[in-house]
């Protein structure tokens, strides 16, 4: 890991702690609170939408890495632009409770966006599976993953724990495969 990468990870970590405290105060002041209902585990209203802090810091980091020519265009478009749209949609959903159909459409469009820019990924190397089936399966699993994460988001702390576990696991796999620059992105997340 380069000196710059280490500094960026530390900076994002420190900023995330500071901005979470600021966001908590702001969400209480402007009543951006998750009310108690049959699906929640908390016993009193708590701030919601705090994931936007991590999303913004991640997206800013992606933009910075792209400007510094440390990310290829395709990864920037998927993680920078795609994550921006996903984060904005998620934040609006936290505030306004979007209808499930709108969220599903956005998830399908984001999956298509990722598949297009990543050209289907490494799964297209399987010659025995027709490409259109692979693309449909990858799209299905991307939408499934977004829905599963969105479901966990309603359970206090589970989404954050899942994101940390997923990011560290993916970073470790990428490091063992020699993809250090890509692993760095997931360490920022």
């Amino acid at each position: 890991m380069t000196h710059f990468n280490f500094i960026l990870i530390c900076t994002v970590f420190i900023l995330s702690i500071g901005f979470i405290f600021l966001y908590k105060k702001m969400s209480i002041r402007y009543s951006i609170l998750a009310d108690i209902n049959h699906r929640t585990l908390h016993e009193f209203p708590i701030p919601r939408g705090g994931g936007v802090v991590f999303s913004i810091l991640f997206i800013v980091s992606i933009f910075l890495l792209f400007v510094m020519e440390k990310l290829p265009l395709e990864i920037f478009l998927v993680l920078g632009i795609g994550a921006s749209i996903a984060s904005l949609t998620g934040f609006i959903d936290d505030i306004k409770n979007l209808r499930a159909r709108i969220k599903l459409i956005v998830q399908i469009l984001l999956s298509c966006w990722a598949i297009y820019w990543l050209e289907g990924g490494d799964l297209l190397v399987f010659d025995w599976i027709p490409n259109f089936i692979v693309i449909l399966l990858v799209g299905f699993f991307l939408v499934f993953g977004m829905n599963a994460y969105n479901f966990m988001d309603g359970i206090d702390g589970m989404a954050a724990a899942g994101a940390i576990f997923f990011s560290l696991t993916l970073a470790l796999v990428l490091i063992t495969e020699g993809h250090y620059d890509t692993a760095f992105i997931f360490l920022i997340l």
Side-chain angles (χ1 to χ4, degrees):
M1 181 181 313
T2 67
H3 186 67
F4 171 78
N5 292 359
F6 181 74
I7 290 173
L8 184 59
I9 289 172
C10 291
T11 303
V12 168
F13 179 73
I14 292 167
L15 288 174
S16 65
I17 291 170
F19 285 141
I20 277 294
F21 285 113
L22 289 174
Y23 181 81
K24 182 179 178 184
K25 287 183 179 186
M26 185 186 81
S27 65
I28 291 170
R29 181 175 185 187
Y30 293 104
S31 295
I32 305 172
L33 302 171
D35 294 323
I36 301 166
N37 62 37
H38 66 283
R39 293 179 54 191
T40 58
L41 297 176
H42 53 273
E43 297 175 0
F44 51 89
I46 61 169
R48 66 179 170 176
V52 74
V53 170
F54 303 110
S55 297
I56 289 171
L57 289 172
F58 178 73
I59 293 164
V60 168
S61 298
I62 293 297
F63 276 85
L64 178 64
L65 291 169
F66 179 70
V67 168
M68 297 179 67
E69 299 180 358
K70 292 183 176 275
L71 280 182
L73 176 65
E74 296 81 12
I75 300 296
F76 167 73
L77 290 171
V78 170
L79 295 179
I81 304 302
S84 297
I85 294 168
S87 297
L88 180 62
T89 304
F91 187 66
I92 292 170
D93 182 41
D94 282 342
I95 294 173
K96 300 285 184 189
N97 289 325
L98 294 175
R99 293 175 27 182
R101 182 180 14 209
I102 292 171
K103 291 187 281 190
L104 181 62
I105 290 169
V106 171
Q107 291 168 351
I108 290 170
L109 291 173
L110 286 172
S111 295
C112 292
W113 177 261
I115 291 168
Y116 175 79
W117 285 109
L118 298 177
E119 298 175 351
D122 291 338
L123 295 176
L124 293 181
V125 299
F126 295 118
D127 294 332
W128 54 277
I129 302 175
N131 285 349
F132 76 94
I133 291 176
V134 172
I135 289 171
L136 287 174
L137 285 172
V138 169
F140 172 78
F141 284 118
L142 286 171
V143 171
F144 176 81
M146 284 185 262
N147 272 292
Y149 191 78
N150 194 31
F151 177 74
M152 284 191 309
D153 192 31
I155 302 172
D156 304 334
M158 186 177 270
I164 292 168
F165 176 77
F166 174 78
S167 295
L168 291 177
T169 302
L170 196 51
L172 181 63
V173 168
L174 289 166
I175 288 169
T176 59
E177 293 293 317
H179 301 287
Y180 302 107
D181 290 337
T182 309
F184 170 68
I185 293 169
F186 290 97
L187 290 174
I188 292 173
L189 185 60

